Amino acid sequence: MAPREILKIENLTTYFYTWAGVVKAVDGISLDVREGETLGLVGESGSGKSVTALSILRIVPMPGRIIGGKIIYKGENLLEKTEDEMQQIRGKEIAYISQDPATSLNPVFSIADQLTEVIRRHQNVTKEEALKKAIELFRLVEIADPEIKIWNYPHQLSGGMKQRIAIARALSCQPNLLLADEPTTNLDVTIQAQILELMKNLKKLGMSMILITHDMGVVAGVADRINVMYAGRVCEVASTKTIFRNPVHPYSRALLEAVSHVTVKRVQPKIIPGAIPNLISPPSGCRFHPRCDFAAAECAAVVPQLVEIEPEHYVACIRAKEFMENVKEVKL
Amino acid sequence: MSAEIILEVKNLVKHYPLTSRGIFLKKEVGVVHAVDNVSFSVRKGETFGLVGESGCGKTSTARAILYLDPPTSGEIYFEGQEIGRIFKSKNHQDLLKLRRKMQYVFQNPYASLDPRMTVADIIMEPFVIHKHVPKEKWHNRLYELLELVGLEEYHAERYPHEFSGGQRQRICIARALAVEPKLLIADEPVASLDVSVRAQILNLLQELQQKFGITYLYISHDLSTVRHICHRVAVMYLGKFVEIAETSELFNSPLHPYTQALLSAIPVPDPENKRSRIVLPGEVPSPINPPKGCRFHPRCIYAKKHNCVENVPELVDVGKGHWVACNKVKR
């Protein structure tokens, strides 16, 4: 039996209507998250990772709008829900950790206020009980002296500490799905190591997670499956091991080869020529074709669809079959 | 590699005063020990890396070397000349000559380019200041520089906002190269760029070094790029150097517990790599009131054994140009 899906996105399209033109930030992506798994969403900045997460919660900022598609969470389409129903889902069912912990906390309220607010909003508890719960959460995310720290204001805490609190707040109502948007990007490596260790432990709580990141090292350690995105579309979906061992899409390969490595000495990282395209007028056909080493004439004309080339391995590339036949292991 | 030393820093100290609030009565209430007694030398033609977490004093060191923020004390020798004297003498001509030899590429290419100047204005401004290129050759030189960093001639008339981060960083590099410097300080040149663009800029820096023999002081918190580009690396913690070594030596056999933790903390892009990660407890202490003894002792597992609370470790040569400041290694 196939594992149950907790979230299924079909053909999600989110556009931003700016003065300069329509930015096609997310252009028809489909993905699914299974129960208890961590799905990594990987891509460079501007590839639509964060907009996907914001779309799931329906909090896309103006002038963005969700144009079409379906977001099916536990059998129900989130895009058909009313605003009131969405508020019941946000924070309780699906929680979000934003990229920048410093700006996601309100500077004029103490941490205790901000944590108990979420707990009291979704659970029928008294103030004292909420506070007790908040302190327990502090223990869960391994903050020392929770009884004292909880009365601090955000400016009294360091970046790593704020990120822990953001995680604690996201976990406060035991969500079924956690959207973590670059949770470690702004942190130093030693603090990043602490947070990643914490996230690994949280996986044991059994919730599903979408981990958004551009750091291949971070996904390698945490994610079960990976979704590679480029310019608003999904290029490749497979298990973490497959993506790292047998990537098929030229963009996934290029992305892996561009990563400079600590464990290997002074190898020239491969360059992806050019830059990410402008999403107001993206390239026709496959959006990666102007930067692709293997682009054929059709690549500019045909939009490639995600095709299952082997069990559990989907690729959106018209030459995928060809690449499959002569896959070389990517040398790491 | 020639052992000729281009830059030598001796006992560099940079303290920033902390003042109390108030307009008329500013009182000094404390001191931020940004850089404390740092000594090192950079050889001609090499890339010297300066690594550490945010707030450890990497940028303060670089800024003090160029006298952007004059150091509190210490001596800096550039090509054998004590440069502090030149900066203090305020002789404009000598100063310009010195500035021409040392250039800086800033961390954030979004903030270091004037939004109201075209690329041509930005890159030709050094010609106006230093007058080292005759006026009729300005445009030729401009196009040469643009080509060198991989930009096109038609980019010259554009404004910075029309460029992506990677292209902006190329403009910054072109501007720094306009005066043909001998030393280029690159302060996290790729930190704000995407991975695919990162590789482009790093390769460009290496190419330029091979072509012109420029010496780099490369500052970064990202150890993987450091491994890729640097010949020698110094690791900083709370304003002090804890370890200096050749790149391969440092990565293969780090001796200081902090370096070991730092190296093990980097996530490896390989799902099957089950390296044991050393997770350091706690966070970097405040540089206003740094810990006594070894500054790393509150987070170090060996601290109790060697009484690091009292013993201040000195940088010691352990052979092969590998220097470590740790009480554990000394014994």
Side-chain angles (χ1 to χ4, degrees), chain A residues 257 266-270, chain B residues 203 206 228:
Chain A
E257 283 166 4
R266 284 180 85 105
V267 227
Q268 197 86 331
K270 228 182 106 187
Chain B
N203 289 357
Q206 276 184 323
H228 173 56

Side-chain angles (χ1 to χ4, degrees), chain A residues 221-254:
Chain A
V222 184
D224 301 316
R225 283 194 311 143
I226 292 179
N227 219 316
V228 182
M229 282 184 78
Y230 182 76
R233 295 215 182 114
V234 177
C235 341
E236 188 160 2
V237 187
S239 70
T240 304
K241 201 179 152 193
T242 315
I243 290 278
F244 278 91
R245 288 283 169 262
N246 304 312
V248 169
H249 198 287
Y251 178 65
S252 319
R253 310 196 99 185

Side-chain angles (χ1 to χ4, degrees), chain A residues 81-92:
Chain A
K81 297 251 181 212
T82 62
E83 189 55 27
D84 282 350
E85 286 171 319
M86 272 316 285
Q87 287 205 0
Q88 284 305 312
I89 290 171
R90 290 184 200 126
K92 191 175 182 190

Side-chain angles (χ1 to χ4, degrees), chain A residues 147-168:
Chain A
E147 289 87 357
I148 302 162
K149 282 272 155 54
I150 200 155
W151 296 108
N152 280 7
Y153 286 83
H155 72 269
Q156 295 170 297
L157 303 164
S158 65
M161 203 74 98
K162 280 184 217 170
Q163 194 58 281
R164 280 165 196 270
I165 288 161
I167 293 173

Side-chain angles (χ1 to χ4, degrees), chain A residues 44-45 158 188-190 192 194 197 217 220 241 244-245 260-262 264 266-269 271-272 274 291, chain B residues 53-54 194 196 200 203 206 224 227-230 251 262 266-272 277 279-280 282-283:
Chain A
E44 291 172 273
S45 49
S158 65
D188 273 314
V189 263
T190 58
Q192 171 172 284
Q194 293 174 358
E197 209 62 26
K241 201 179 152 193
F244 278 91
R245 288 283 169 262
S260 40
H261 238 266
V262 235
V264 187
R266 284 180 85 105
V267 227
Q268 197 86 331
I271 289 176
I272 310 180
R291 299 173 79 186
Chain B
E53 294 178 274
S54 50
D194 265 314
S196 68
Q200 293 174 8
N203 289 357
Q206 276 184 323
S224 43
R227 167 155 228 184
H228 173 56
I229 180 166
C230 294
F251 279 82
L262 203 61
I266 307 159
V268 183
D270 182 351
E272 276 153 272
R277 200 183 276 152
V279 178
L280 287 178
E283 296 183 358

